[in-house]
Amino acid sequence: CSIFGYLIKKVEMNTPVATLYFISVGVFALGAFQAAIMARGSAYAKTCWTFSALCLFFSLFQLSCGLQFTASNFHAAMAAHKWVNIFSVLLIPLIWFLVASLEDKSSSFRHAYIVAVLAACVIGYNYVMPHGFRFDAVFQDGLTTLPWGEQMWIFSGEPSLVFRAMRFMSLCLLIYTMIFSIKITRLGEKRTSRLFWIALALMLIAGLMAGLSDSGVMKIPYLGGFGFLFLAVSFSALVGKDVSSRRIEELRIYSELQHEIEHRKIDNQRFEHVLNSDILTGLPNRAGALAGLTKLLDLNIKNQTKLGIFIFDVDQLGIVNGTRG
């Protein structure tokens, strides 16, 4: 609550773009929580946990962008910009690991780990550089006034060699994801592949616009988070439907098992009655009488009481049974 209270204070009525960023923070946080819950009951637990982490880091990425855009001065904006860089780098190995978990191949996971190590090196470089890993030098202070009057800190400058390497890594990730999308299209997963292609297109467009903004060609905020927001909502809907159908199936199986158990109980009771009762009279037979007597003896020993047993015998009863039934 204190975090959202702080965000509300940061946002004014004349900052609609920054407001959208802060709203998306809550949406991504909710998506991370939902994916974590779905991981407990889904067959795709690893994918759900990875997606939950992705939503969490996208939430932090959007928060850092919002803090950069609404910063009070250059130094505060640059400090927030460094956090934007950190979360943007962390997203690359996470997306790689997400696709690897869907593909479920050991080689894909190995590549994801290599990318994670490279991302860690870039984060260290981002920490020591005055403008982060993205720029070797910043063209101007970065305070930009948008056409409707909203002022935002949007930086542009000379891209660094490390940033160019990260661009190349992002391109490799895009190609890898496109290859995976083509595979699932061939497998007949048309709806899932459409969602991937739409999300890829949105994120590709957002990446190109971010590159133009970094080079100073145009002044626009980073929109990659909103491109992923479409995939987050779609993923939640798909996995939620899968989990719901699995739960319905589990409830059906549980109901059938309970029904079968009740039938087994009734059958066992009937079987016990047949074993311990006389078919003609319904009275206890020899086995039933001995079972009842055993219970009485146990109760007698427990209560320390006396027990008397009377046995009535009918002479030549075997002849009657043999001739009369």
Side-chain angles (χ1 to χ4, degrees):
C1 293
S2 59
I3 293 175
F4 282 103
Y6 172 75
L7 296 181
I8 290 172
K9 291 180 181 179
K10 289 285 294 181
V11 177
E12 300 177 359
M13 295 300 293
N14 61 345
T15 57
V17 175
T19 302
L20 288 176
Y21 276 84
F22 290 128
I23 290 173
S24 67
V25 171
V27 175
F28 277 120
L30 182 62
F33 180 71
Q34 183 183 11
I37 292 176
M38 288 189 296
R40 300 179 60 185
S42 174
Y44 312 104
K46 187 182 295 183
T47 302
C48 288
W49 282 117
T50 306
F51 191 80
S52 177
L54 260 176
C55 288
L56 178 61
F57 281 118
F58 261 111
S59 176
L60 296 172
F61 173 79
Q62 295 290 89
L63 175 61
S64 301
C65 287
L67 294 176
Q68 173 189 323
F69 299 150
T70 58
S72 57
N73 54 63
F74 174 84
H75 295 291
M78 183 55 67
H81 179 73
K82 283 192 172 184
W83 284 105
V84 172
N85 291 343
I86 290 174
F87 293 121
S88 65
V89 171
L90 288 173
L91 290 170
I92 294 176
L94 273 177
I95 294 176
W96 203 299
F97 193 82
L98 176 67
V99 180
S101 65
L102 291 171
E103 195 173 20
D104 198 18
K105 289 183 178 180
S106 58
S107 59
S108 302
F109 286 111
R110 284 197 297 269
H111 295 155
Y113 294 138
I114 293 172
V115 171
V117 172
L118 294 175
C121 296
V122 173
I123 290 174
Y125 179 80
N126 178 78
Y127 178 78
V128 299
M129 297 303 292
H131 302 119
F133 80 91
R134 196 180 295 265
F135 305 117
D136 283 333
V138 177
F139 289 152
Q140 53 189 2
D141 61 0
L143 186 60
T144 304
T145 302
L146 299 179
W148 51 88
E150 181 177 2
Q151 287 191 328
M152 306 178 71
W153 290 92
I154 302 176
F155 297 111
S156 58
E158 182 66 30
S160 66
L161 182 62
V162 175
F163 179 63
R164 291 192 177 101
M166 289 303 298
R167 282 287 184 187
F168 176 75
M169 191 181 298
S170 301
L171 178 62
C172 294
L173 174 61
L174 179 64
I175 295 172
Y176 173 52
T177 310
M178 289 176 64
I179 293 172
F180 175 75
S181 298
I182 293 172
K183 287 181 180 179
I184 62 174
T185 303
R186 291 177 178 176
L187 291 175
E189 298 290 339
K190 294 183 179 180
R191 183 174 59 177
T192 306
S193 63
R194 284 198 208 102
L195 295 175
F196 267 104
W197 282 112
I198 293 173
L200 282 175
L202 292 174
M203 295 184 72
L204 176 61
I205 293 171
L208 292 174
M209 295 175 70
L212 293 175
S213 178
D214 289 338
S215 60
V217 176
M218 55 192 304
K219 288 286 188 177
I220 55 173
Y222 299 132
L223 302 176
F226 295 103
F228 185 80
L229 189 61
F230 174 82
L231 183 60
V233 174
S234 303
F235 180 87
S236 298
L238 284 175
V239 179
K241 184 177 180 180
D242 176 72
V243 173
S244 177
S245 62
R246 286 177 178 273
R247 286 178 178 172
I248 292 173
E249 182 66 16
E250 288 174 358
L251 288 174
R252 185 187 65 81
I253 294 173
Y254 176 77
S255 177
E256 290 181 356
L257 286 174
Q258 288 294 109
H259 188 67
E260 183 65 24
I261 290 171
E262 291 298 326
H263 273 287
R264 290 293 179 91
K265 286 182 179 179
I266 294 172
D267 291 339
N268 288 336
Q269 290 172 359
R270 289 175 179 173
F271 183 70
E272 290 289 334
H273 181 74
V274 170
L275 286 179
N276 298 321
S277 302
D278 180 68
I279 298 176
L280 180 62
T281 63
L283 297 173
N285 58 14
R286 183 180 183 88
L290 291 175
L293 182 60
T294 302
K295 292 180 181 178
L296 288 174
L297 289 172
D298 292 338
L299 184 63
N300 176 66
I301 295 172
K302 181 180 179 181
N303 296 332
Q304 295 294 316
T305 57
K306 293 182 179 181
L307 178 66
I309 301 173
F310 295 86
I311 299 177
F312 296 89
D313 193 15
V314 180
D315 293 339
Q316 299 179 353
L317 183 60
I319 299 174
V320 177
N321 281 337
T323 58
R324 301 298 181 182

